[in-house]
C-alpha cells in the first residue's frame, strides 16, 4: 500500500523507473514518448551525460552552503551566464527552487522596491485571465484560472485580471490582429485608471501562455503597448517565463521575440531540465539598486536558495542551450513540429487552432470548427485524451477550461529539443491515434 500523497487520490499511475533520450520507461518495460517534457521541463531529454557529470562533480565537491553565509561558484557562474543572455537592463539573478518560488520572489521584490523608492501606497498587481503563475498563495492569487483559484479565493491576496491576448477566441470579425492586440493591451490602462494608477505595483503576464491556455503567444505589438502603459504609470512589467522560457520557444528568453524589455523575469522548468529543481527571478539593475541603496536587503529567502548542486546542473543546461546551440536547434525543430502538426491535424474536424512557438505548441479542440463551439465540459475530453495517450505510450499535456477555466480543451506539446524528426512523427501518430480513441 502506498503512503505517497499523490496529485489525484484515485489515479492508478505506472511507476517510472528509467529515462533515456526522449523516452521514460515504467517498471513493466513500457516506453512512453515524452511529448510534453512532463510539463515543459525536460528540454534535454532524459539521461543527459553532461548534466549528470556536472551534478556528480558538484555534489562530490560541495553539497550545500547556506546563502546566508556563503556565495558559491556554481551560483555565480549561473547568474553571470544568464545575465550575459538576458534582455537589456536585466542585471541580477535570485536563485530559487522552482517556478512558484520564482513568482513569489518577483511579487515580493516588486512590492519592496515600491516601498524603497517612496511609493508605499502601491499595493496591487494586475494580471490576465487564463494565466497560471504557480500554486503558492501569492502566485495563485495573481493567476487567472478560476478553477484553480476558487477554493482558495477567501485566503488569497487577489490581483485584478484583464483579458488575455488570445486571438483565436478574442479577435472580432472586423478587426485585424494588430488592432485586436492594441485593444486588449489597452485594457491594462483601463484597469489602472479604475484602480487608481498610483496604487498598482506591476503587471504580470506569460509571454506565451502555457498550461491554462495551450501555448498562446501574444500578437505583434501587444507587449510594446503594454510596456508603454507600464512606463506611463510607473508600474513594473513582470514576465513569467517559467514554462515558455529557456529556449522552449526558440530563443533563450521568450520575450526576445516580442521585443519587450521587462523589469523582472521568472524562469524555472527548463532551467534545470528536470535534473534538479531550480528556478530564478531576474530583475533589472534599477530595481536591484533601489534595494541596495535603500534598506540594503531583500526581505525574503528560503533555505535552498542558490543550491550549489542545482546551480551546477543549470549551468550545464544553459551552456548546452547557448554555446551548445540547442536553442537555435529548438527553433528549427520547432518549425518541423509545426509542419507536422499542420499536416496531421490541419484538416481535422475537431482541431480548431494550432498555435505556439518553437518546441512549445498547442492544439485547441472544438466540437465544430466553423462556430468554434467547444466540447461540453462533461465530456472530459482532456482527461480522457491524457489516459488514451498514456495507453498509447505518449506523454502529452491535455487540459480543460481553456476558454474561461470551465469550457474548452487543448493539448500542450513541449517535446525535448533533442527530438529527431522521426520521433516527432511518432508523436504525431500517437497523438492522432489517442485523439481518435476519445472523439
Ligand atoms: N508560472 C508558470 C507560467 C507555470 O507554467 C508554472 C508551472 O506550470 C509556474 C509558474 C509554477 O511553477 P512550479 O510548478 O515549478 O512551482
Amino acid at each position: 500500500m502506498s503512503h505517497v500523497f499523490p496529485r489525484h487520490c484515485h489515479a492508478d499511475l505506472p511507476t517510472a523507473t528509467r529515462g533515456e533520450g526522449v523516452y521514460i520507461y515504467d517498471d513493466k518495460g513500457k516506453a512512453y514518448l515524452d511529448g510534453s517534457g512532463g510539463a515543459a521541463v525536460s528540454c534535454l531529454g532524459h539521461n543527459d551525460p553532461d548534466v549528470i557529470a556536472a551534478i556528480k562533480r558538484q555534489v562530490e565537491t560541495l553539497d550545500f552552503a547556506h546563502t546566508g553565509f556563503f556565495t558559491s561558484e556554481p551560483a555565480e557562474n549561473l547568474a553571470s551566464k544568464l545575465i550575459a543572455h538576458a534582455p537589456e537592463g536585466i542585471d541580477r539573478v535570485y536563485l530559487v527552487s522552482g517556478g512558484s518560488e520564482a513568482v513569489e520572489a518577483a511579487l515580493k521584490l516588486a512590492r519592496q522596491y515600491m516601498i524603497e523608492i517612496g511609493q508605499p501606497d502601491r499595493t496591487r498587481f494586475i494580471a490576465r485571465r487564463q494565466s497560471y503563475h504557480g500554486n503558492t498563495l501569492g502566485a495563485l492569487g495573481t493567476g487567472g484560472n478560476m478553477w484553480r483559484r476558487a477554493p482558495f479565493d477567501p485566503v488569497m491576496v487577489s490581483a485584478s485580471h484583464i483579458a488575455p491576448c488570445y486571438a483565436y477566441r478574442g479577435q472580432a470579425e472586423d478587426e485585424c490582429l494588430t488592432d485586436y492586440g492594441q485593444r486588449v493591451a489597452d485594457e491594462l490602462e483601463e484597469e489602472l485608471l479604475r484602480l487608481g494608477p498610483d496604487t498598482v505595483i506591476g503587471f504580470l503576464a506569460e509571454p506565451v501562455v502555457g498550461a491554462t491556455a495551450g501555448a498562446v503567444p501574444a500578437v505583434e505589438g501587444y507587449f510594446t503597448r503594454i510596456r508603454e502603459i507600464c512606463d506611463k504609470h510607473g508600474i513594473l512589467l513582470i514576465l513569467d517565463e517559467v514554462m515558455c522560457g529557456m529556449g522552449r520557444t526558440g530563443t533563450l528568453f521568450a520575450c526576445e521575440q516580442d521585443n519587450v524589455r521587462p523589469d523582472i523575469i521568472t524562469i524555472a522548468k527548463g532551467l534545470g531540465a528536470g535534473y534538479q529543481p531550480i528556478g530564478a527571478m531576474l530583475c533589472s539593475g534599477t530595481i536591484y539598486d533601489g534595494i541596495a541603496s535603500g534598506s540594503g536587503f531583500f526581505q525574503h529567502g528560503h533555505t535552498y536558495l542558490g543550491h550549489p548542486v542545482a546551480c551546477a546542473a543549470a549551468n550545464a543546461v544553459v551552456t548546452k542551450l547557448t554555446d551548445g546551440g540547442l536553442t537555435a536547434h529548438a527553433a528549427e525543430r520547432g518549425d518541423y513540429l509545426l509542419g507536422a502538426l499542420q499536416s496531421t491535424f490541419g484538416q481535422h474536424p475537431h482541431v480548431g487552432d494550432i498555435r505556439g512557438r518553437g518546441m512549445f505548441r498547442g492544439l485547441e479542440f472544438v466540437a465544430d470548427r466553423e462556430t468554434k463551439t467547444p466540447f461540453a465540459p462533461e465530456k472530459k475530453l482532456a482527461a480522457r485524451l491524457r489516459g488514451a495517450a498514456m495507453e498509447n505510450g505518449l506523454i502529452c499535456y491535455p487540459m480543460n477550461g481553456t476558454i474561461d477555466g470551465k469550457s474548452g480543451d487543448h493539448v500542450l506539446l513541449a517535446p525535448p529539443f533533442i527530438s529527431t524528426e522521426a520521433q516527432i512523427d511518432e508523436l504525431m501518430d500517437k497523438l492522432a491515434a489517442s485523439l481518435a480513441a476519445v472523439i
Side-chain angles (χ1 to χ4, degrees), residues 270-312:
L271 177 61
Y275 291 85
Q276 287 287 293
I278 183 165
M281 183 269 292
L282 290 74
C283 75
S284 67
T286 310
I287 295 179
Y288 180 78
D289 291 345
I291 305 287
S293 61
S295 66
F297 81 107
F298 177 25
Q299 201 173 326
H300 193 54
H302 300 287
T303 301
Y304 285 134
L305 289 188
H307 193 284
V309 181
C311 290

Side-chain angles (χ1 to χ4, degrees), residues 98-101 103 132-135 206 211 240 242-243 268-269 397:
S100 300
E101 276 190 17
V103 172
Y132 179 61
H133 298 298
N135 258 332
E206 295 163 80
D240 182 354
V242 164
M243 197 175 238
K269 293 188 186 272
Y397 197 177

Side-chain angles (χ1 to χ4, degrees), residues 7 39-41 97-103 131-136 139 148 205-212 240-244 266-269 278-279 360 397 412:
R7 285 176 180 252
V41 172
S97 305
S100 300
E101 276 190 17
V103 172
S131 56
Y132 179 61
H133 298 298
N135 258 332
T136 48
R148 284 179 168 79
E206 295 163 80
V208 183
V209 184
T212 44
D240 182 354
E241 300 206 0
V242 164
M243 197 175 238
C244 61
T266 54
I267 53 175
K269 293 188 186 272
I278 183 165
F360 196 46
Y397 197 177
L412 189 70

